Amino acid sequence: SNSYTIIYASVMVVIVAFLLAFVSQTLKPIQDENVELDKKSQILAALNMRGLEKTTIPTTYTDVVKNDYIINADGSIKQNEGGFKCGSEELVVYVCEVEGAKKYVFPIYGKGLWGALWGYVALNDDFNTVYGMYMSHASETAGLGSLIAEQKFQDQFIDKVIFAEDNANNIALSVVKNGKVQNDQYEVDGITGATLTGNGVDAMLKTSL
């Protein structure tokens, strides 16, 4: 009968919803741990530490990242540690030490052709020279825009400078069309066939930095 079908379907929905909620809550600590581990891995990748074993990431992160804090829009420090999450008007800074030298890692966020872009940029202690770069994407075109997530593209940023020599307030670090680099001090070759993704990376750098 119709009533039997409706009751049966309703009971099944309730049971399945309960099971899904139970599994979600049970796995949440593991999910949160994996998210934190992935973020630490990305920060270490920006410091040119890639391909680490999953079990060694927490220890390496603790050894390298000496402090992480949140800065308000006015430049004052809001929080001295635990800077994994911050608001839209705040900036998280990771203070690191690599082979005895200070490095500073900042998050970067933007939008590509099809979806979100994100990553981390590591600077030397002059706050102008790029030490390393990591970036990824949500849904860029495979074999084209998706190549921004590869080390080959990201390594181009190493030793580039952020600010133009004649204007300390102008972000000069740029991604230009493939083969159009005129100043290799701060320009990076884009990816052939992925101009719009390159433009998104360029805008992400300009805005975030």
Side-chain angles (χ1 to χ4, degrees):
S1 65
N2 289 337
S3 59
Y4 174 84
T5 302
I6 294 171
I7 293 171
Y8 180 84
S10 299
V11 170
M12 288 301 296
V13 167
V14 170
I15 292 173
V16 171
F18 172 78
L19 290 174
L20 287 174
F22 174 77
V23 171
S24 177
Q25 288 300 312
T26 302
L27 295 179
K28 191 174 187 308
I30 298 174
Q31 293 171 341
D32 292 342
E33 183 180 335
N34 285 333
V35 168
E36 183 174 323
L37 190 67
D38 182 55
K39 184 165 286 191
K40 288 180 177 179
S41 176
Q42 293 179 26
I43 293 169
L44 291 173
L47 293 164
N48 303 315
M49 299 179 186
R50 300 171 185 259
L52 299 174
E53 291 290 334
K54 194 173 181 179
T55 54
T56 65
I57 290 174
T59 304
T60 305
Y61 182 88
T62 301
D63 291 341
V64 171
V65 180
K66 303 302 181 182
N67 195 9
D68 53 276
Y69 53 88
I70 296 174
I71 299 177
N72 288 316
D74 62 4
S76 61
I77 295 178
K78 173 186 176 182
Q79 188 173 324
N80 286 312
E81 59 182 348
F84 258 44
K85 295 180 180 179
C86 62
S88 59
E89 296 297 320
E90 299 165 341
L91 174 70
V92 58
V93 181
Y94 301 92
V95 183
C96 311
E97 189 173 307
V98 180
E99 297 178 351
K102 277 282 184 69
K103 311 296 177 186
Y104 297 87
V105 179
F106 304 89
I108 51 178
Y109 304 98
K111 185 178 181 181
L113 175 60
W114 302 112
L117 305 176
W118 67 87
Y120 294 91
V121 56
L123 304 181
N124 290 323
D125 57 6
D126 62 357
F127 292 101
N128 190 37
T129 309
V130 177
Y131 177 73
M133 177 75 71
Y134 171 85
M135 64 181 70
S136 192
H137 63 91
S139 54
E140 296 308 290
T141 307
L144 294 173
S146 66
L147 297 180
I148 66 168
E150 294 192 357
Q151 184 177 351
K152 181 180 178 181
F153 175 73
Q154 296 167 15
D155 281 352
Q156 292 186 87
F157 290 89
I158 296 175
D159 294 330
K160 302 293 184 185
V161 298
I162 292 177
F163 300 108
E165 292 181 357
D166 57 346
N167 188 348
N169 294 315
N170 179 33
I171 302 296
L173 185 63
S174 306
V175 177
V176 299
K177 284 188 177 181
N178 187 269
K180 299 294 184 180
V181 172
Q182 295 181 346
N183 190 328
D184 59 9
Q185 188 177 15
Y186 48 75
E187 290 182 344
V188 170
D189 243 338
I191 298 168
T192 302
T195 301
L196 294 179
T197 301
N199 291 343
V201 173
D202 185 71
M204 172 173 69
L205 295 171
K206 296 286 197 300
T207 303
S208 298
L209 292 172

